[in-house]
Amino acid sequence: MEDTQYQIDLLTAINERLMNSEHVYKLACEFSGAAYIYFDLKNEHRIEMFGEWNKLVGENLTRQPYDENYLISFVCDEDQKKVRDFLNSFPSINDSLSASIEFTSKKSKKCISARRIFFKDNNGKFIEKLISVEDITQIKKKSEELEYYAYYDVLTSLYNRNHFFTVLRDLLEKASKENTSVELMLVDIDNFKKINDSLGLVYGDELVQSLALFIKSLSTDKIKVGRYGSDVFAIAIFDPCGKNCSDMIFKTIRDRVKKPFILTNKAEVTISVSAGVCEYPGCGHDALELIKNAEIVLYASKQHEKGSISYFSDEILKVYQEEIVLENKLNDAILNNELSVYFQPQYDANTGALRGAEALIRWLDENENVVYRPLDFIPLAEKNGTIIEIGNFVFREVFKSIHEWKVKYRANYIISINVSAIQLERSDFIDNLQKLIDYYEVDPGLIELEITESVLINDFDTMIETLRILSQLGIRVSLDDFGTGFSSLSYLRELPITTLKIDKSFIDDICINNKTASITGSVVDMVKKLDLETVAEGVEHKEQLDCLKDMGCDLIQGFLLSKPVKKSEFEKIIIRQMP
């Protein structure tokens, strides 16, 4: 009796272990997400099916008799032979024991992966085979997406920058073998930042997409296009000739952009584009050099005339290299405090009293010799952004000087400071200016900001609002170089300015050219009626001074009375003005 109970307990324990093993085995199959076919090759080809067949084919084939034909019926017709061969073939002596294939299911069109592995005994005879079958549709989809992102730009569907480089390199290799050429053209949307700021990022992207779609339509077997930058497109032309050359393609693009792009917000946007072209092998020996030179030419094209196309030349390269040298020197000059502020006095035309001075930036060596003229480095500073740092330096030096002169001489002279559009467009410009005024305890009325007419071109309304705020703070505003830009009497009445400067080009022949004299006199009369001061700059001869006095010009600035001088020299002028 006890033996019988022992046998029962033993069988119960074995059954529980088997059930636990079965549970673990089931969990493993479910966790893997795969379906399996097991072939016992040593035991009369016993075959078992288990795993997630229901998820794979929509039927529960687990523990069902193996039916090869029925199983293959779930496979699309064109893949059935491949799957049947995979199920029945054996590896040769030198083949790997494992193998895999991919195929498509018939109804659901899923992408299926089947993997196979054989097992041998000690004698090298095949004894077992296991096949796992798994739905890899999502994995395949993600893989294809990653592959797409590796080659194509998400926004425009053009080749991305990296892949375009590869395509260009392949074209150059082909051109070298076939003894022909390749043109590379970079096309850039002019003033895109301002367009993007006015439209907003979403519609800015839509504009880029619209242009990209048109440029993509120009691609052929010999013309490859890609997106090189946010608003820059790259076009490589193999064996350029006839219509398939940079000049004709650019004309096609330029003709298109003359017509407005209609965005989803109903806005109609007209743009212009500039282009720079380099040709292999003349302008570069490899893809990297060709792209670098095309960037240089594009930059030169935009500087020369927006909406135009330029071609690589030694002169363009020379100018660019010189600019790079100058840029590096300028950065060093800022870092090493090599810039200084000079002051050119302004005098009352009638009384000769000192009104103040214009603060001028100078780049001098240790012997006070000119290193570079402002005309040479200020435009570069405006392009590369260092004008902000230079401008801040001038403000600090001027405010500090005004404070010192007030303490030392009880002097209150108006100092004019040139500011660029880049400075005025910064959101923190007014706040930073106010902080300096407070720190140095400067009367805002002694500060006069000089702007040129070009400041008003980009965003007239915003700039007017900025100038009004400055005026409300008590800061004076002077319009410099009047008559040399897009002068308009209609906007002159809207500007919150206190002073108008007559450009030197009018002063030069004011005494010998009746038309110039008439225009200058009319300007002075008009400005007086607007209750503004007039400053004549560039006065070099006494005859010019006398003419300006007769016209009623208020203030005089020029070499006749004083060249720009350093701070210590200007202090001597202040002392001479003291009673």
Side-chain angles (χ1 to χ4, degrees), residues 132-147:
S132 67
V133 188
E134 186 176 6
D135 179 2
I136 60 168
T137 305
Q138 292 302 316
I139 296 174
K140 196 78 171 177
K141 184 177 179 181
K142 289 185 182 299
S143 176
E144 289 172 353
E145 287 178 356
L146 289 173
E147 184 177 2

PDB file of all heavy atoms in Angstrom, residues 132-147:
ATOM      1  N   SER A 132      12.312  28.704 -37.512  1.00  0.00           N
ATOM      2  CA  SER A 132      11.512  29.747 -36.862  1.00  0.00           C
ATOM      3  C   SER A 132      10.965  30.690 -37.936  1.00  0.00           C
ATOM      4  O   SER A 132      11.671  31.025 -38.899  1.00  0.00           O
ATOM      5  CB  SER A 132      12.350  30.541 -35.852  1.00  0.00           C
ATOM      6  OG  SER A 132      13.341  31.294 -36.509  1.00  0.00           O
ATOM      7  N   VAL A 133       9.712  31.060 -37.769  1.00  0.00           N
ATOM      8  CA  VAL A 133       9.034  31.922 -38.745  1.00  0.00           C
ATOM      9  C   VAL A 133       8.505  33.141 -37.995  1.00  0.00           C
ATOM     10  O   VAL A 133       7.807  32.997 -36.983  1.00  0.00           O
ATOM     11  CB  VAL A 133       7.879  31.175 -39.449  1.00  0.00           C
ATOM     12  CG1 VAL A 133       7.325  32.021 -40.586  1.00  0.00           C
ATOM     13  CG2 VAL A 133       8.347  29.821 -39.955  1.00  0.00           C
ATOM     14  N   GLU A 134       8.814  34.340 -38.501  1.00  0.00           N
ATOM     15  CA  GLU A 134       8.501  35.553 -37.742  1.00  0.00           C
ATOM     16  C   GLU A 134       8.051  36.677 -38.671  1.00  0.00           C
ATOM     17  O   GLU A 134       8.575  36.840 -39.781  1.00  0.00           O
ATOM     18  CB  GLU A 134       9.750  35.990 -36.965  1.00  0.00           C
ATOM     19  CG  GLU A 134       9.522  37.152 -36.017  1.00  0.00           C
ATOM     20  CD  GLU A 134      10.771  37.465 -35.212  1.00  0.00           C
ATOM     21  OE1 GLU A 134      11.833  36.850 -35.484  1.00  0.00           O
ATOM     22  OE2 GLU A 134      10.709  38.341 -34.334  1.00  0.00           O
ATOM     23  N   ASP A 135       7.074  37.438 -38.211  1.00  0.00           N
ATOM     24  CA  ASP A 135       6.588  38.614 -38.932  1.00  0.00           C
ATOM     25  C   ASP A 135       7.574  39.773 -38.694  1.00  0.00           C
ATOM     26  O   ASP A 135       7.737  40.252 -37.574  1.00  0.00           O
ATOM     27  CB  ASP A 135       5.186  38.989 -38.436  1.00  0.00           C
ATOM     28  CG  ASP A 135       4.624  40.223 -39.128  1.00  0.00           C
ATOM     29  OD1 ASP A 135       5.300  40.770 -40.026  1.00  0.00           O
ATOM     30  OD2 ASP A 135       3.513  40.647 -38.773  1.00  0.00           O
ATOM     31  N   ILE A 136       8.228  40.211 -39.767  1.00  0.00           N
ATOM     32  CA  ILE A 136       9.204  41.307 -39.620  1.00  0.00           C
ATOM     33  C   ILE A 136       8.734  42.562 -40.390  1.00  0.00           C
ATOM     34  O   ILE A 136       9.553  43.415 -40.754  1.00  0.00           O
ATOM     35  CB  ILE A 136      10.599  40.885 -40.117  1.00  0.00           C
ATOM     36  CG1 ILE A 136      10.554  40.495 -41.598  1.00  0.00           C
ATOM     37  CG2 ILE A 136      11.172  39.787 -39.255  1.00  0.00           C
ATOM     38  CD1 ILE A 136      11.931  40.344 -42.228  1.00  0.00           C
ATOM     39  N   THR A 137       7.438  42.664 -40.600  1.00  0.00           N
ATOM     40  CA  THR A 137       6.911  43.795 -41.381  1.00  0.00           C
ATOM     41  C   THR A 137       7.311  45.135 -40.775  1.00  0.00           C
ATOM     42  O   THR A 137       7.807  46.026 -41.470  1.00  0.00           O
ATOM     43  CB  THR A 137       5.380  43.712 -41.483  1.00  0.00           C
ATOM     44  OG1 THR A 137       5.015  42.437 -42.029  1.00  0.00           O
ATOM     45  CG2 THR A 137       4.834  44.820 -42.373  1.00  0.00           C
ATOM     46  N   GLN A 138       7.085  45.280 -39.472  1.00  0.00           N
ATOM     47  CA  GLN A 138       7.398  46.556 -38.816  1.00  0.00           C
ATOM     48  C   GLN A 138       8.905  46.811 -38.785  1.00  0.00           C
ATOM     49  O   GLN A 138       9.359  47.946 -38.978  1.00  0.00           O
ATOM     50  CB  GLN A 138       6.834  46.562 -37.389  1.00  0.00           C
ATOM     51  CG  GLN A 138       5.311  46.575 -37.323  1.00  0.00           C
ATOM     52  CD  GLN A 138       4.733  47.771 -38.057  1.00  0.00           C
ATOM     53  OE1 GLN A 138       5.218  48.894 -37.937  1.00  0.00           O
ATOM     54  NE2 GLN A 138       3.668  47.518 -38.825  1.00  0.00           N
ATOM     55  N   ILE A 139       9.680  45.749 -38.541  1.00  0.00           N
ATOM     56  CA  ILE A 139      11.133  45.891 -38.540  1.00  0.00           C
ATOM     57  C   ILE A 139      11.613  46.326 -39.919  1.00  0.00           C
ATOM     58  O   ILE A 139      12.459  47.215 -40.059  1.00  0.00           O
ATOM     59  CB  ILE A 139      11.802  44.568 -38.132  1.00  0.00           C
ATOM     60  CG1 ILE A 139      11.421  44.203 -36.692  1.00  0.00           C
ATOM     61  CG2 ILE A 139      13.324  44.648 -38.290  1.00  0.00           C
ATOM     62  CD1 ILE A 139      11.915  42.840 -36.263  1.00  0.00           C
ATOM     63  N   LYS A 140      11.038  45.692 -40.948  1.00  0.00           N
ATOM     64  CA  LYS A 140      11.404  46.021 -42.329  1.00  0.00           C
ATOM     65  C   LYS A 140      11.028  47.468 -42.651  1.00  0.00           C
ATOM     66  O   LYS A 140      11.802  48.195 -43.286  1.00  0.00           O
ATOM     67  CB  LYS A 140      10.678  45.072 -43.271  1.00  0.00           C
ATOM     68  CG  LYS A 140      11.253  45.037 -44.672  1.00  0.00           C
ATOM     69  CD  LYS A 140      12.502  44.198 -44.733  1.00  0.00           C
ATOM     70  CE  LYS A 140      12.929  44.015 -46.189  1.00  0.00           C
ATOM     71  NZ  LYS A 140      14.194  43.252 -46.274  1.00  0.00           N
ATOM     72  N   LYS A 141       9.858  47.873 -42.181  1.00  0.00           N
ATOM     73  CA  LYS A 141       9.388  49.233 -42.441  1.00  0.00           C
ATOM     74  C   LYS A 141      10.316  50.256 -41.795  1.00  0.00           C
ATOM     75  O   LYS A 141      10.701  51.261 -42.408  1.00  0.00           O
ATOM     76  CB  LYS A 141       7.966  49.401 -41.907  1.00  0.00           C
ATOM     77  CG  LYS A 141       7.341  50.751 -42.218  1.00  0.00           C
ATOM     78  CD  LYS A 141       5.914  50.811 -41.715  1.00  0.00           C
ATOM     79  CE  LYS A 141       5.294  52.178 -42.010  1.00  0.00           C
ATOM     80  NZ  LYS A 141       3.892  52.262 -41.494  1.00  0.00           N
ATOM     81  N   LYS A 142      10.676  49.997 -40.539  1.00  0.00           N
ATOM     82  CA  LYS A 142      11.577  50.914 -39.841  1.00  0.00           C
ATOM     83  C   LYS A 142      12.950  50.934 -40.504  1.00  0.00           C
ATOM     84  O   LYS A 142      13.594  51.986 -40.608  1.00  0.00           O
ATOM     85  CB  LYS A 142      11.704  50.510 -38.370  1.00  0.00           C
ATOM     86  CG  LYS A 142      10.453  50.781 -37.553  1.00  0.00           C
ATOM     87  CD  LYS A 142      10.673  50.478 -36.095  1.00  0.00           C
ATOM     88  CE  LYS A 142       9.406  50.713 -35.278  1.00  0.00           C
ATOM     89  NZ  LYS A 142       8.958  52.116 -35.350  1.00  0.00           N
ATOM     90  N   SER A 143      13.385  49.769 -40.966  1.00  0.00           N
ATOM     91  CA  SER A 143      14.672  49.689 -41.646  1.00  0.00           C
ATOM     92  C   SER A 143      14.647  50.506 -42.938  1.00  0.00           C
ATOM     93  O   SER A 143      15.603  51.217 -43.266  1.00  0.00           O
ATOM     94  CB  SER A 143      15.012  48.235 -41.960  1.00  0.00           C
ATOM     95  OG  SER A 143      16.203  48.144 -42.695  1.00  0.00           O
ATOM     96  N   GLU A 144      13.532  50.405 -43.667  1.00  0.00           N
ATOM     97  CA  GLU A 144      13.397  51.176 -44.905  1.00  0.00           C
ATOM     98  C   GLU A 144      13.336  52.671 -44.608  1.00  0.00           C
ATOM     99  O   GLU A 144      13.881  53.487 -45.368  1.00  0.00           O
ATOM    100  CB  GLU A 144      12.140  50.732 -45.656  1.00  0.00           C
ATOM    101  CG  GLU A 144      12.264  49.335 -46.259  1.00  0.00           C
ATOM    102  CD  GLU A 144      10.955  48.826 -46.820  1.00  0.00           C
ATOM    103  OE1 GLU A 144       9.922  49.517 -46.614  1.00  0.00           O
ATOM    104  OE2 GLU A 144      10.946  47.752 -47.458  1.00  0.00           O
ATOM    105  N   GLU A 145      12.675  53.035 -43.496  1.00  0.00           N
ATOM    106  CA  GLU A 145      12.614  54.451 -43.112  1.00  0.00           C
ATOM    107  C   GLU A 145      14.012  54.976 -42.772  1.00  0.00           C
ATOM    108  O   GLU A 145      14.397  56.066 -43.201  1.00  0.00           O
ATOM    109  CB  GLU A 145      11.686  54.628 -41.905  1.00  0.00           C
ATOM    110  CG  GLU A 145      10.213  54.486 -42.235  1.00  0.00           C
ATOM    111  CD  GLU A 145       9.335  54.621 -41.005  1.00  0.00           C
ATOM    112  OE1 GLU A 145       9.901  54.743 -39.889  1.00  0.00           O
ATOM    113  OE2 GLU A 145       8.108  54.582 -41.139  1.00  0.00           O
ATOM    114  N   LEU A 146      14.754  54.171 -42.010  1.00  0.00           N
ATOM    115  CA  LEU A 146      16.114  54.583 -41.656  1.00  0.00           C
ATOM    116  C   LEU A 146      16.989  54.705 -42.896  1.00  0.00           C
ATOM    117  O   LEU A 146      17.805  55.624 -43.015  1.00  0.00           O
ATOM    118  CB  LEU A 146      16.729  53.574 -40.682  1.00  0.00           C
ATOM    119  CG  LEU A 146      16.147  53.573 -39.267  1.00  0.00           C
ATOM    120  CD1 LEU A 146      16.725  52.414 -38.464  1.00  0.00           C
ATOM    121  CD2 LEU A 146      16.422  54.899 -38.568  1.00  0.00           C
ATOM    122  N   GLU A 147      16.795  53.765 -43.819  1.00  0.00           N
ATOM    123  CA  GLU A 147      17.553  53.816 -45.067  1.00  0.00           C
ATOM    124  C   GLU A 147      17.185  55.068 -45.864  1.00  0.00           C
ATOM    125  O   GLU A 147      18.044  55.734 -46.441  1.00  0.00           O
ATOM    126  CB  GLU A 147      17.274  52.563 -45.897  1.00  0.00           C
ATOM    127  CG  GLU A 147      18.106  52.500 -47.164  1.00  0.00           C
ATOM    128  CD  GLU A 147      17.879  51.207 -47.941  1.00  0.00           C
ATOM    129  OE1 GLU A 147      17.036  50.400 -47.497  1.00  0.00           O
ATOM    130  OE2 GLU A 147      18.519  51.031 -48.984  1.00  0.00           O
TER     131      GLU A 147
END
